[in-house]
Amino acid sequence: MKNIKTISFIGAGNVATHLAKSFFNLGFEIGQVYSKKIDNALQLADDVNSIAIDNVMNLNSNADLYIVAIKDDSIESLLNKINDKSILITHTSGSVPIDILPKNGFINYGIFYPLQTFSKSNSINLSEVPFCIEANQHENELVNLAKQLSNSVYMVNSEQRKKLHIAAVFACNFTNYMYHIAEQICKDNKVDFNILKPLIIETAKKIELNSPLSVQTGPAKRNDKEIISNHLESLKYNDDYEKIYKILTDNIIKSTL
Amino acid sequence: MKNIKTISFIGAGNVATHLAKSFFNLGFEIGQVYSKKIDNALQLADDVNSIAIDNVMNLNSNADLYIVAIKDDSIESLLNKINDKSILITHTSGSVPIDILPKNGFINYGIFYPLQTFSKSNSINLSEVPFCIEANQHENELVNLAKQLSNSVYMVNSEQRKKLHIAAVFACNFTNYMYHIAEQICKDNKVDFNILKPLIIETAKKIELNSPLSVQTGPAKRNDKEIISNHLESLKYNDDYEKIYKILTDNIIKSTL
């Protein structure tokens, strides 16, 4: 059982910042903070009493865990530059498979993936953020570590993580786009989009305790053909909205009949 | 200026119940409660110290305001049966135009539409529910009345109300369906849907202060072709999900480029 006391961060962006500060506040030592921009590394290092580096060759082997939190498409070339392949190394990406780590020569590795949208300025309570963990060994250590930050820690393998990412595209990215269309329809008709916000929050809260299909409402769910054709008529001015309304309505009718 | 002290309810369902109880608690007198099922009328009337009736012919003219809160497709035939056309009458429907009231002979009328999903058991804080008001006269009285229940009261005409309803289909009904697809993808791959719930709530909360398009994230927003084709490949097992993924991704790319 590896005892994790010192953690080094490769990356000084939103995810690295939230994790490093939280670990620091819990009493962990933050060994080094790497960023290719030394100013970013210095800023975070300063906050967590750590040492900033901007050359990954200067990464020492003194930390018990290395967390790579950089852009997906920079991960591989960075891993390549790390000399000591015996360190315990994890990355925080939702979409990069775990294989990238052994492929680059590492023998102790895992995933430490917090599933939330972070922005540097927003303070996010990590205790409510789900962490998805995967590891070739030291799984228990990573799970215990995540449990110190969060109340929801899940074992998720790379294949499941990929599917989770697709599900998140529907539940979050596409949902946000639905909000956008709603706002646009409001703007087009000089209606205040704020009127819809309480209903939007309520819709999201409802599924905390209910399966979404069981609380589906609206004209499609009721198969209310008069309202549906009325709405489609109103949306004729925007081909895309009309198509989206149609395909989603057809799918809801099919799923709830 | 009409002084509204006594309100009668036509309907004893979710909306009528929430409104009647709130008005009663504010010190209003609830004149009569009509429901075609006397048990429902009695249950609500009992709670708000009112008189239950199950024949609309027995509706008296003593109230200062009548609120019709019944199913959309029952409104017209009910209005027909009310004898005194001089009463101040409103309905609470999001999709029925105001015209239905003068069409049935009324001369003092309006809309008193709370935009929220109500269920009888759920206690909803009306102060956060947006009320949409429209009236041929007595507009000020209805607005002032709504302001006693809620902090957000809007003047919305019937044409705007219809567009608001279409916007709500996107922002709420279609959004809920996105949640359903996400849950289904999780189930198909034995991943716990609960992992996504904090992100879903955060996505909804984000637009309280931001325009949705400005906080759009995901592979489509980044126009990340590799991830997108990867996701589409994974969704091949379900034609409908693949099509929805494709049309929404194409639209996001077009809107955010």
Side-chain angles (χ1 to χ4, degrees), chain B:
Chain B
M1 190 89 179
K2 195 176 165 79
N3 194 356
I4 297 172
K5 290 178 182 168
T6 303
I7 305 173
S8 283
F9 279 86
I10 292 139
N14 298 331
V15 176
T17 299
H18 277 93
L19 291 180
K21 285 185 182 172
S22 300
F23 280 124
F24 179 70
N25 290 334
L26 284 168
F28 287 83
E29 199 177 317
I30 309 302
Q32 293 175 301
V33 172
Y34 160 83
S35 170
K36 63 181 177 186
K37 292 181 187 153
I38 192 68
D39 284 351
N40 292 350
L42 280 165
Q43 199 185 338
L44 176 54
D46 200 43
D47 285 341
V48 295
N49 198 18
S50 179
I51 294 157
I53 57 172
D54 65 352
N55 183 342
V56 80
M57 302 290 189
N58 294 332
L59 200 67
N60 67 37
S61 303
N62 302 341
D64 306 306
L65 171 67
Y66 295 77
I67 296 180
V68 179
I70 58 178
K71 279 191 184 161
D72 287 4
D73 49 14
S74 310
I75 294 178
E76 182 137 34
S77 69
L78 185 128
L79 291 176
N80 227 315
K81 292 183 202 140
I82 299 177
N83 288 320
D84 186 349
K85 302 296 185 189
S86 70
I87 59 172
L88 174 57
I89 189 163
T90 60
H91 75 66
T92 59
S93 162
S95 28
V96 177
I98 196 169
D99 295 346
I100 201 171
L101 295 160
K103 211 177 115 193
N104 283 280
F106 295 95
I107 49 176
N108 299 306
Y109 51 85
I111 306 292
F112 199 82
Y113 167 45
L115 197 137
Q116 187 54 282
T117 37
F118 293 98
S119 58
K120 257 189 200 172
S121 55
N122 247 20
S123 85
I124 280 191
N125 184 356
L126 282 185
S127 71
E128 289 164 14
V129 171
F131 277 75
C132 302
I133 305 298
E134 181 179 10
N136 77 322
Q137 47 180 320
H138 302 300
E139 189 176 286
N140 289 338
E141 291 92 326
L142 293 179
V143 167
N144 288 337
L145 197 68
K147 281 186 177 166
Q148 294 189 55
L149 299 177
S150 167
N151 299 319
S152 26
V153 177
Y154 299 85
M155 295 298 308
V156 177
N157 67 38
S158 289
E159 190 52 29
Q160 292 173 317
R161 195 154 34 85
K162 183 180 158 185
K163 298 299 165 53
L164 197 58
H165 189 213
I166 300 177
V169 169
F170 282 90
C172 302
N173 304 152
F174 289 168
T175 282
N176 186 71
Y177 196 67
M178 295 297 119
Y179 301 157
H180 160 66
I181 295 178
E183 184 184 51
Q184 205 50 53
I185 292 171
C186 286
K187 274 188 189 162
D188 292 343
N189 295 283
K190 304 200 185 345
V191 185
D192 191 338
F193 178 54
N194 285 314
I195 305 181
L196 288 176
K197 290 183 179 174
L199 195 58
I200 285 172
I201 291 287
E202 186 68 20
T203 303
K205 278 189 182 160
K206 238 197 227 169
I207 60 144
E208 287 188 330
L209 297 172
N210 302 284
S211 183
L213 206 59
S214 74
V215 291
Q216 183 69 49
T217 57
K221 154 74 184 169
R222 296 192 306 273
N223 198 5
D224 186 333
K225 294 199 173 68
E226 198 181 319
I227 298 254
I228 292 168
S229 74
N230 207 305
H231 283 181
L232 285 170
E233 186 63 35
S234 289
L235 289 169
K236 276 214 151 66
Y237 78 100
N238 185 316
D239 239 30
D240 292 326
Y241 295 174
E242 192 190 350
K243 270 185 204 145
I244 293 170
Y245 188 102
K246 203 164 167 4
I247 190 174
L248 293 178
T249 292
D250 288 347
N251 269 273
I252 293 173
I253 292 172
K254 203 158 76 173
S255 302
T256 57
L257 264 190

Side-chain angles (χ1 to χ4, degrees), chain A residues 18-200:
Chain A
H18 277 93
L19 292 180
K21 285 184 181 173
S22 300
F23 279 125
F24 178 69
N25 290 334
L26 284 169
F28 287 84
E29 199 177 316
I30 310 302
Q32 293 174 300
V33 173
Y34 160 83
S35 169
K36 63 180 177 186
K37 293 181 186 152
I38 192 69
D39 283 351
N40 292 351
L42 279 166
Q43 199 187 337
L44 176 53
D46 200 42
D47 284 344
V48 297
N49 198 18
S50 179
I51 293 158
I53 57 172
D54 64 352
N55 183 342
V56 80
M57 301 293 186
N58 294 332
L59 199 69
N60 66 37
S61 302
N62 302 342
D64 305 308
L65 171 66
Y66 294 76
I67 297 181
V68 179
I70 58 177
K71 278 190 185 163
D72 287 5
D73 49 15
S74 309
I75 294 178
E76 182 137 34
S77 67
L78 186 128
L79 291 176
N80 227 314
K81 292 185 200 138
I82 299 177
N83 288 321
D84 186 350
K85 302 298 185 188
S86 70
I87 59 173
L88 175 56
I89 189 164
T90 60
H91 75 65
T92 58
S93 162
S95 29
V96 177
I98 196 170
D99 296 346
I100 200 171
L101 295 160
K103 211 177 114 193
N104 283 279
F106 294 96
I107 49 177
N108 298 306
Y109 52 86
I111 307 291
F112 198 82
Y113 168 43
L115 198 138
Q116 187 53 279
T117 38
F118 293 99
S119 56
K120 259 189 197 171
S121 55
N122 246 20
S123 84
I124 280 189
N125 185 357
L126 282 184
S127 72
E128 289 164 13
V129 171
F131 277 75
C132 302
I133 305 298
E134 182 180 9
N136 77 322
Q137 47 178 321
H138 302 300
E139 189 177 286
N140 288 338
E141 290 93 324
L142 292 179
V143 167
N144 288 337
L145 197 68
K147 281 187 177 164
Q148 294 189 54
L149 298 176
S150 167
N151 300 319
S152 26
V153 178
Y154 299 85
M155 295 300 309
V156 177
N157 68 37
S158 289
E159 191 51 30
Q160 291 173 318
R161 193 155 34 84
K162 184 180 158 184
K163 298 299 165 53
L164 196 58
H165 189 213
I166 300 177
V169 168
F170 281 91
C172 302
N173 304 152
F174 290 168
T175 282
N176 186 71
Y177 196 67
M178 295 297 120
Y179 300 157
H180 160 67
I181 295 178
E183 184 185 50
Q184 204 50 53
I185 292 170
C186 286
K187 275 188 187 162
D188 292 344
N189 296 283
K190 303 201 184 346
V191 185
D192 191 339
F193 178 54
N194 286 313
I195 305 180
L196 288 176
K197 290 182 179 175
L199 195 58
I200 284 172

